[in-house]
């Protein structure tokens, strides 16, 4: 029978695809759209990393390599985790993958069985839901409240735990909210996981993009017991402006990592070998370019939040990542093209058509009254885009 699998039929295409298509359509009409929908740093990969890659190619690092990554790379990851995250891992507890997305996918496929529940605090990154579904699991969405700065709601999370709970997947600093979970909150979460015997999956890809003296805390650093039930996913993508290189990893309990490697041995094989060598350079290199990138993001963050609040949007100051999530409900009941604006999809469409700015409707992240603005764009473009937005808002009936 020429039918596609139920698995494939159940996959929801990325919520941002429709937006990308509309942006392309407007561009074809000669309209320039300022992109605030971007999920990657607008900086180049630092030169020392690019040089390390070229050197690796010239030295012939162009063949297959060990499935979980070459040993020098896994050692570099372990050193990084010990130095920056205060967790001790051995190379056998690390699997290097094609970005954090691949690492998270492998992890979920390895621990989730049919009907297992995975708790996802929302707003959250869209791919989590589909990854859990692909593994046959059931995503259990637990909202974080905007009035609490989108912090984890421990009571609501506790209420969502059932005998079928297999894991809780969280992301700090958070995409899309920019929330950073405190050590105290993460300790309480770890207690809950130990008591109810579920895994923790910590997505730490934005750990270096953190502001106002906030400190990123890795839940796996709490104790050996917590380390044994935690999968820490991370990547070089956002921290080193290396999104296109596809380099990330997961660190976790050895027996599970062995299975993740087995899975990867039948799918990816290994991350591009010379990218692995460039990744060693990234993990061990100087941090000044990264520090400068973070300082620039910080400048833009403050500017964007101030402008949005001036315009009448309620916008909290996020503590991490490179997104802000203003609440757009102040525009509800106003009319654009004769139609009432009544949700974030309508507002995103208005912003695109009338202000020529692409922003992702919060509905894509289960935040129906918010809109996600990425400030991974130049201050000049941010200024122009926000001027256009302010002017467009004034025209609403
Ligand atoms: C929260 C979160 N996790 C994981 C990823 C995936 O990162 P990578 O590009 O390393 O696969 C992203 C990318 O947008 C993200 O926002």
């Amino acid at each position: 029978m020429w039918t596609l699998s139920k698995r494939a039929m159940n996959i929801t295409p990325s919520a941002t695809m429709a937006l990308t298509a509309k942006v392309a359509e407007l561009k074809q009409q000669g309209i320039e759209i300022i992109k605030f929908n971007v999920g990657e740093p607008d900086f180049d990969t630092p030169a020392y990393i690019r040089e390390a890659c070229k050197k690796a190619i010239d030295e012939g690092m162009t063949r297959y390599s060990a499935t979980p990554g070459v040993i020098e790379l896994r050692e570099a990851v372990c050193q990084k985790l010990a130095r920056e995250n205060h967790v001790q891992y051995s190379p056998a507890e690390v699997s290097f993958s094609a970005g954090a997305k691949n690492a998270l996918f492998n992890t979920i496929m390895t621990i989730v069985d049919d009907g297992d529940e995975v708790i996802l605090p929302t707003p959250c990154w869209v791919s989590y839901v589909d990854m859990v579904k692909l593994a046959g699991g059931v995503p259990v969405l637990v909202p974080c409240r905007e009035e609490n700065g989108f912090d984890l709601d421990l009571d609501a999370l506790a209420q969502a735990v059932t005998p079928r709970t297999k894991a809780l997947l969280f992301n700090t600093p958070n995409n899309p909210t920019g929330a950073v979970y405190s050590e105290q909150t993460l300790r309480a979460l770890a207690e809950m996981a130990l008591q109810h015997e579920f895994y923790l999956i910590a997505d730490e890809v934005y750990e270096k993009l953190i502001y106002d003296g906030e400190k990123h805390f890795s839940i796996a650093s709490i104790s050996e017991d917590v380390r044994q039930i935690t999968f820490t996913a991370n990547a070089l993508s956002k921290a080193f402006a290396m999104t296109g290189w596809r380099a990330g990893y997961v660190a976790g309990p050895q027996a599970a990592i062995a299975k993740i490697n087995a899975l990867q041995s039948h799918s990816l094989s290994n991350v591009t070998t010379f990218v692995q060598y460039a990744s060693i350079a990234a993990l061990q290199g100087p941090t000044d370019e990264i520090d400068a990138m973070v300082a620039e993001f910080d400048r833009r963050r403050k500017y964007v939040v101030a402008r949005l609040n001036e315009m009448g949007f309620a916008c909290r100051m996020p503590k991490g990542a490179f997104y802000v999530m203003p609440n757009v409900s102040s525009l509800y009941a106003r009319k654009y093209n004769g139609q009432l604006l009544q949700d974030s999809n309508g507002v995103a469409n208005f912003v695109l058509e009338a202000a020529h700015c692409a922003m992702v409707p919060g509905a894509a992240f289960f935040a129906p009254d918010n809109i996600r603005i990425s400030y991974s764009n130049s201050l000049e473009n941010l200024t122009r885009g926000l001027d256009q937005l302010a002017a467009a808002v004034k025209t609403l009936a």
Side-chain angles (χ1 to χ4, degrees):
M1 260 200 296
W2 289 298
T3 53
L4 301 182
S5 70
K6 291 194 188 69
R7 191 182 311 108
M9 295 307 286
N10 281 334
I11 305 174
T12 331
S14 161
T16 50
M17 260 164 68
L19 182 69
T20 311
K22 186 113 195 241
V23 170
E25 194 186 304
L26 290 169
K27 208 172 161 192
Q28 275 218 321
Q29 295 169 21
I31 300 170
E32 193 211 337
I33 302 296
I34 306 178
K35 290 187 182 161
F36 297 139
N37 55 330
V38 185
E40 59 184 339
D42 58 318
F43 295 87
D44 288 333
T45 304
Y48 74 91
I49 302 173
R50 287 183 270 134
E51 288 309 320
C53 182
K54 290 179 205 164
K55 184 163 172 275
I57 294 174
D58 288 344
E59 288 177 356
M61 302 305 183
T62 52
R63 300 180 182 240
Y64 291 133
S65 50
T67 296
V70 296
I71 186 72
E72 307 92 293
L73 172 59
R74 281 177 293 140
E75 279 167 354
V77 169
C78 292
Q79 285 155 12
K80 180 263 177 225
L81 288 166
R83 184 176 69 237
E84 297 179 3
N85 306 87
H86 314 293
V87 204
Q88 302 296 328
Y89 284 104
S90 69
E93 294 170 309
V94 172
S95 182
F96 207 83
S97 300
K101 188 180 263 183
N102 192 189
L104 287 162
F105 184 76
N106 287 347
T107 303
I108 291 169
M109 290 300 274
T110 300
I111 62 177
V112 174
D113 267 325
D114 278 352
D116 283 349
E117 294 174 1
V118 178
I119 298 178
L120 303 173
T122 62
C124 72
W125 186 48
V126 277
S127 291
Y128 298 151
V129 172
D130 283 284
M131 286 183 190
V132 171
K133 285 192 196 160
L134 273 169
V138 180
V140 177
L141 308 185
V142 178
C144 302
R145 291 217 293 268
E146 185 170 5
E147 58 271 32
N148 295 339
F150 291 113
D151 198 3
L152 290 179
D153 184 338
L154 291 168
D155 291 337
L157 291 173
Q159 277 172 21
V161 175
T162 76
R164 303 230 59 168
T165 303
K166 194 61 178 282
L168 186 150
L169 196 179
F170 66 95
N171 170 223
T172 182
N174 186 275
N175 172 13
T177 66
V180 173
Y181 306 143
S182 70
E183 175 174 344
Q184 194 188 3
T185 299
L186 293 175
R187 283 186 181 275
L189 190 62
E191 274 300 311
M192 205 187 293
L194 286 172
Q195 189 189 343
H196 296 286
E197 300 187 9
F198 58 80
Y199 288 116
L200 293 164
I201 307 173
D203 178 347
E204 304 191 346
V205 294
Y206 293 98
E207 66 170 345
K208 289 195 194 296
L209 305 176
I210 194 161
Y211 317 102
D212 298 334
E214 284 286 328
K215 292 266 177 291
H216 169 74
F217 182 76
S218 289
I219 200 163
S221 70
I222 290 176
S223 67
E224 179 55 19
D225 284 350
V226 177
R227 195 186 78 97
Q228 284 298 340
I229 61 162
T230 300
F231 294 84
T232 304
N234 208 331
L236 286 77
S237 313
K238 320 279 178 177
F240 297 95
M242 289 176 71
T243 48
W245 296 66
R246 312 311 300 132
Y249 55 90
V250 57
Q254 189 170 338
I257 293 293
K259 290 297 178 195
I260 286 175
N261 293 341
L263 184 76
Q264 182 153 295
S265 75
H266 296 297
S267 50
L268 177 74
S269 288
N270 57 267
V271 169
T272 309
T273 304
F274 47 82
V275 168
Q276 293 184 47
Y277 285 92
S279 299
I280 298 174
L283 290 167
Q284 297 179 337
T287 63
D288 39 342
E289 280 190 63
I290 309 303
D291 297 343
M293 178 172 86
V294 177
E296 177 59 20
F297 276 139
D298 187 18
R299 208 155 70 96
R300 298 174 187 175
R301 174 185 71 118
K302 289 176 178 147
Y303 173 74
V304 172
V305 171
R307 285 289 310 268
L308 288 167
N309 282 301
E310 267 165 39
M311 271 181 235
F313 294 106
C315 184
R316 292 164 317 99
M317 183 67 83
K319 298 179 195 164
F322 42 67
Y323 310 104
V324 297
M325 277 271 283
N327 188 300
V328 292
S329 58
S330 60
L331 295 185
Y332 295 176
R334 313 250 322 250
K335 278 189 182 163
Y336 169 62
N337 272 352
Q339 293 220 320
L340 275 184
L341 294 175
Q342 41 198 358
D343 58 25
S344 63
N345 288 317
V347 173
N349 185 53
F350 150 71
V351 171
L352 183 61
E353 289 184 358
H356 297 161
C357 297
M359 299 178 184
V360 185
F365 312 98
F366 312 100
D369 294 329
N370 299 76
I371 197 162
R372 192 192 74 172
I373 302 176
S374 161
Y375 50 87
S376 190
N377 207 327
S378 67
L379 206 49
E380 188 192 336
N381 281 343
L382 286 164
T383 306
R384 203 152 49 89
L386 292 171
D387 287 349
Q388 288 171 198
L389 178 62
V393 168
K394 284 194 187 132
T395 66
L396 284 173

